[in-house]
Amino acid sequence: MKAVGFKRSLPIDEDQSLINFECETPKPGKRDILVKIQAISVNPVDYKVRQNSAKDNELDEPKIIGWDASGVVEEIGEDVNQFKPGDEVFYAGDITRSGCYAEYQLVDERIVAKKPDNFNWEEAAALPLTSLTAWESIFDRLGIKDNGGSGKSILIIGGAGGVGSIAIQLLKKLTRLKVIATASRDVTRNWCEKMGADEIVNHHDLLDQMQNYKNPDYIINFADTSTHWNAMAELIAPQGGICCVVNTSESVDLNLLKEKSVSFHWELMFTRSMFKTEDMIAQHKILNRIKALAEENKIISTMNRKFEGLNAETFKKVHKLQESGKSVGKNVISF
């Protein structure tokens, strides 16, 4: 099969930062499905793995990354009972396994769902990783209830990114929380409005911007954790909850949360698949809910820009865009 990968961690402008190659099409294990990929979307985790996986050595075989895809089930393992060949599916996958920058990919059936019938391949590929991250942050980590949160508010830091885009939609459709999102440019403010945010503030001046609002009961930070740590600690309401998804770039003072009895949560969408947790199939169920919400026209795809071609040059363009920090919504590549 054709694939795009890398053997060394190089700046994206260098010729060998991503390369075209061919390899054997993999065979499904007992609970695997083999998917013929139709479209993928690129996430920050992609370029972070590319930048750090082969810093000090050259890999013997190219590494295939990418964890967001839609496609058709080609073959199934002997214990698979959720899918059959020909099913149209979408999924994020497992960071410990080979990724989706390829014609075919193996994925455990427990973290896959059938794609929304009313979404095309590109629209569907934009959703899995970010939907799972947002859903787990809101409902699993912070413990917000379906249709709950009346009279309360939540601050979303990084509202116009891929995860922020779907988090805003889920919060507006499934809870009663007032949603305040951060954005600093006209294009990102407009995007957050399109997603349904009630209020928009500038994260570059967060404390001043939030003076006109009561302390949020919840904060979800989809940007750098340490950059906003002190502001989050000051803003969060007593007995509130904070959830972050990005590693701290420097040490933070957890003691700042003690007086208010604030709960702090990490969210990593790959935890369930990485550790084969007992509730791993929860991601299949979450994606089924996303499918239903899409088909009921309660959420829209967060795809913003579309590219084409399973080749290194296309992927380099998208990685460069992601690394710029100026990406809005999701960037999707169809094959």
Side-chain angles (χ1 to χ4, degrees):
M1 67 176 184
K2 293 180 180 178
V4 171
F6 64 93
K7 297 181 76 172
R8 295 171 60 202
S9 292
L10 298 169
I12 196 59
D13 286 330
E14 294 204 18
D15 184 57
Q16 297 294 302
S17 60
L18 288 168
I19 58 174
N20 300 310
F21 70 101
E22 292 191 3
C23 59
E24 291 294 322
T25 302
K27 293 294 182 182
K30 288 186 176 182
R31 299 208 68 173
D32 289 338
I33 60 174
L34 178 68
V35 179
K36 175 72 169 67
I37 296 173
Q38 302 294 318
I40 69 100
S41 67
V42 176
N43 295 284
V45 65
D46 297 20
Y47 70 75
K48 290 176 183 178
V49 171
R50 194 204 83 240
Q51 291 171 341
N52 293 289
S53 292
K55 274 186 171 181
D56 303 317
N57 62 303
E58 182 169 327
L59 304 175
D60 293 332
E61 301 292 336
K63 182 177 180 66
I64 303 173
I65 56 175
W67 296 280
D68 246 347
S70 62
V72 181
V73 177
E74 184 91 357
E75 189 178 345
I76 64 173
E78 59 185 82
D79 291 341
V80 169
N81 55 39
Q82 302 286 340
F83 303 98
K84 64 183 185 303
D87 284 344
E88 298 181 352
V89 297
F90 74 144
Y91 58 91
D94 177 348
I95 199 169
T96 67
R97 304 183 71 177
S98 189
C100 61
Y101 291 12
E103 287 186 280
Y104 296 91
Q105 184 184 14
L106 291 178
V107 62
D108 190 298
E109 66 165 342
R110 290 171 287 183
I111 55 175
V112 181
K114 292 181 181 177
K115 83 169 184 64
D117 291 338
N118 59 331
F119 278 20
N120 62 30
W121 297 116
E122 294 84 3
E123 291 167 336
L127 282 180
L129 185 146
T130 53
S131 295
L132 289 166
T133 301
W135 188 287
E136 291 180 353
S137 296
I138 296 164
F139 301 109
D140 294 350
R141 309 303 171 223
L142 291 176
I144 298 168
K145 304 298 183 184
D146 260 357
N147 207 33
S150 181
K152 296 184 176 182
S153 64
I154 185 167
L155 173 65
I156 302 293
I157 300 176
V163 190
S165 298
I166 191 63
I168 292 170
Q169 295 187 64
L170 293 175
L171 286 161
K172 291 305 299 177
K173 295 301 181 182
L174 299 178
T175 79
R176 297 184 182 183
L177 288 163
K178 178 178 181 177
V179 179
I180 305 167
T182 73
S184 61
R185 297 176 288 142
D186 287 344
V187 64
T188 52
R189 292 178 65 87
N190 292 339
W191 183 262
C192 288
E193 288 177 0
K194 180 181 177 182
M195 295 301 110
D198 296 303
E199 304 286 347
I200 301 169
V201 297
N202 191 326
H203 48 265
H204 293 306
D205 194 16
L206 197 51
L207 292 176
D208 285 342
Q209 291 273 307
M210 289 293 291
Q211 283 184 354
N212 295 325
Y213 304 100
K214 72 172 188 176
N215 294 82
D217 301 276
Y218 306 99
I219 298 175
I220 305 181
N221 184 2
F222 298 126
D224 182 77
T225 298
S226 51
T227 298
H228 301 286
W229 183 260
N230 290 346
M232 291 191 297
E234 184 170 337
L235 289 170
I236 190 69
Q239 302 185 104
I242 297 173
C243 183
C244 295
V245 304
V246 179
N247 290 355
T248 58
S249 55
E250 56 189 58
S251 296
V252 297
D253 185 1
L254 198 60
N255 291 327
L256 295 178
L257 308 182
K258 183 179 180 181
E259 284 189 359
K260 295 182 184 176
S261 297
V262 171
S263 62
F264 176 73
H265 306 265
W266 281 117
E267 159 58 17
L268 178 65
M269 186 227 72
F270 295 115
T271 296
R272 282 173 159 138
S273 56
M274 184 183 295
F275 293 99
K276 301 294 185 289
T277 61
E278 290 183 3
D279 66 345
M280 184 172 164
I281 200 167
Q283 293 198 337
H284 167 74
K285 296 175 181 178
I286 294 168
L287 289 175
N288 277 337
R289 287 289 304 275
I290 298 299
K291 167 182 164 67
L293 290 168
E295 291 175 348
E296 293 164 8
N297 296 312
K298 291 182 177 178
I299 61 171
I300 61 174
S301 175
T302 55
M303 179 181 70
N304 188 34
R305 294 189 62 180
K306 185 165 63 173
F307 301 80
E308 188 172 345
L310 178 56
N311 61 75
E313 291 307 311
T314 299
F315 281 84
K316 287 177 186 177
K317 288 179 186 177
V318 181
H319 272 238
K320 191 169 185 176
L321 176 59
Q322 290 283 160
E323 290 179 36
S324 73
K326 303 297 184 183
S327 182
V328 176
K330 293 300 294 292
N331 299 302
V332 178
I333 302 172
S334 60
F335 293 173

